[in-house]
Amino acid sequence: MQIRLEELKQGTLSLKFEEPPETFAVLTEMIDSGACEFIGPITAALRAQQIGAMIEVTGDVATQVRLTCGRCLQGFETPLKSSFTLAYTQAEPDPEPSVSRQEELELTAEDTGLIYYQGEKINLKNEIQEQVVLAFPLRVLCRPDCRGLCPQCGADLNTGDCNCDRSPPAGKFAALKNLKL
Ligand SMILES: [Zn+2]
Ligand SMILES: [Zn+2]
């Protein structure tokens, strides 16, 4: 998962990677903790281009995972996809690295979104991993209108209605209706 800068001299570079999720430390942690199960490899399709002193990398990462719905607790499979654009610039070799200089560099990188690289290649592993993590949904639902479980009998309401009365208890909320604001 690297771009060798000498390969960029011919202009635009297209790259494809396919890696098992276990290649990435954070994804391995997610697997070990049971947060998700990866069904396919992590695939990345990238294009790198030199623009002046900057190297722009655009690409897509994709994979297939098995998650547990937060509402009905059923496992389901879903694709994860993320598109991104990253900008790299070479870190200037600093003859006398000082704390203030270091801070200055970090601030600039934060302001501009530039990522510094050193040497003759750019390692994309961390960025690819980050994109996979960002592709996870914030709320894990098997489908947007998942009806979840009945709070009384635990039946999966997606597979049919149970016979419980789930109308909200009258007392507490009925009183709110009479509130005059
Ligand atoms: Zn569900
Ligand atoms: Zn029920």
Side-chain angles (χ1 to χ4, degrees):
M1 283 166 280
Q2 289 182 338
I3 296 172
R4 296 218 313 279
L5 298 186
E6 57 180 24
E7 290 176 304
L8 257 182
K9 290 193 178 119
Q10 290 121 41
T12 311
L13 182 67
S14 292
L15 297 161
K16 275 193 160 65
F17 302 108
E18 191 175 300
E19 297 284 340
E22 291 80 9
T23 315
F24 304 89
V26 173
L27 304 185
T28 304
E29 265 174 47
M30 292 174 79
I31 298 167
D32 291 347
S33 73
C36 78
E37 193 184 318
F38 287 86
I39 297 160
I42 311 297
T43 59
L46 307 164
R47 270 163 59 90
Q49 196 181 359
Q50 178 106 41
I51 303 170
M54 200 181 81
I55 294 166
E56 188 188 71
V57 180
T58 59
D60 302 288
V61 296
T63 188
Q64 183 84 12
V65 291
R66 188 171 175 81
L67 301 172
T68 302
C69 175
R71 251 183 228 164
C72 69
L73 309 179
Q74 295 292 315
F76 67 100
E77 293 182 11
T78 185
L80 294 183
K81 283 194 182 87
S82 176
S83 300
F84 57 92
T85 301
L86 302 167
Y88 289 85
T89 194
Q90 189 154 31
E92 292 164 40
D94 198 342
E96 276 177 73
S98 62
V99 175
S100 64
R101 171 77 180 134
Q102 195 60 41
E103 277 173 1
E104 198 182 296
L105 266 178
E106 276 165 20
L107 269 182
T108 319
E110 227 167 81
D111 292 346
T112 57
L114 284 172
I115 306 166
Y116 287 101
Y117 69 89
Q118 278 170 321
E120 288 305 304
K121 53 194 174 192
I122 296 176
N123 192 332
L124 295 160
K125 193 173 168 179
N126 284 341
E127 279 73 25
I128 290 175
Q129 169 171 269
E130 195 181 328
Q131 292 303 321
V132 176
V133 172
L134 288 173
F136 275 90
L138 287 177
R139 295 191 66 198
V140 179
L141 293 178
C142 61
R143 58 179 212 227
D145 60 346
C146 171
R147 298 181 64 208
L149 302 178
C150 168
Q152 279 157 52
C153 72
D156 184 347
L157 298 175
N158 296 312
T159 59
D161 233 323
C162 57
N163 289 317
C164 301
D165 177 14
R166 291 189 305 279
S167 53
K172 203 165 151 193
F173 294 106
L176 286 176
K177 272 190 212 155
N178 301 326
L179 257 183
K180 289 208 172 67
L181 296 168

